[in-house]
């Protein structure tokens, strides 16, 4: 380090860590869980729009995509639980993925239950 040169933000961040510890990153499976929640959400919206525009004449396609959305949300829930086992990570993505996947599963249960009446 030179006498007249000021530290950049990155240098200050590196120098301020105790005993050279690295930055704590987000849980990889937690991020994967959030991505799966997003995919499941798109898989819920798509059949609803298809059924609306085709006036309900596609029960097989809508049911198949809905079932795939359930499987995707369940796997996202599993990924969020598995992400909580990673050591020295930030777990907020795991919690977010868990909440989003549970909400999506509840929405799908209400949609399927409404279809039976």
């Amino acid at each position: 380090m030179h006498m007249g040169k000021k530290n950049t933000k990155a240098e200050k961040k590196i120098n301020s860590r105790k005993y050279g510890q690295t930055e704590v990153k987000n849980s990889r499976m937690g991020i994967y869980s959030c991505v799966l929640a997003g995919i499941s959400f798109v898989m819920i919206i798509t059949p609803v729009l298809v059924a609306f525009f085709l006036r309900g004449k596609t029960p097989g396609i809508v049911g198949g995509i809905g079932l795939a959305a359930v499987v995707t949300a369940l796997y996202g829930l599993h990924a969020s639980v598995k992400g909580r086992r990673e050591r020295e990570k930030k777990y907020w993505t795991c919690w977010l993925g868990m909440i989003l996947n549970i909400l999506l599963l509840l929405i799908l249960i209400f949609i399927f239950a409404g279809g039976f009446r």
Side-chain angles (χ1 to χ4, degrees):
M1 193 165 92
H2 300 291
M3 292 298 261
K5 184 180 174 187
K6 293 184 178 180
N7 289 341
T8 62
K9 284 186 179 181
E11 287 175 350
K12 286 180 184 178
K13 202 171 191 181
I14 290 171
N15 294 335
S16 67
R17 298 224 172 76
K18 189 174 183 180
Y19 306 120
Q21 294 175 351
T22 60
E23 183 180 352
V24 180
K25 295 182 179 180
N26 290 321
S27 169
R28 181 173 290 183
M29 292 303 284
I31 295 170
Y32 192 58
S33 173
C34 290
V35 169
L36 286 173
I39 291 170
S40 182
F41 179 73
V42 169
M43 291 172 81
I44 291 171
I45 295 300
T46 302
V48 169
L49 291 175
V50 167
F52 177 74
F53 287 121
L54 296 179
R55 304 194 193 285
K57 295 180 181 176
T58 58
I61 295 171
V62 172
I65 294 174
L67 188 61
V70 169
V71 171
T72 305
L74 286 173
Y75 191 68
L77 189 60
H78 173 71
S80 66
V81 171
K82 193 173 176 182
R84 296 272 329 257
R85 295 183 193 149
E86 294 179 23
R87 293 184 180 251
E88 298 177 11
K89 300 284 185 176
K90 293 180 188 175
Y91 300 119
W92 70 271
T93 53
C94 295
W95 286 108
L96 180 65
M98 187 180 299
I99 291 168
L100 290 175
N101 283 306
I102 288 173
L103 285 174
L104 290 170
L105 283 171
L106 287 173
I107 289 169
L108 285 166
I109 288 171
F110 287 132
I111 289 173
F112 289 149
F116 286 122
R117 52 181 181 123

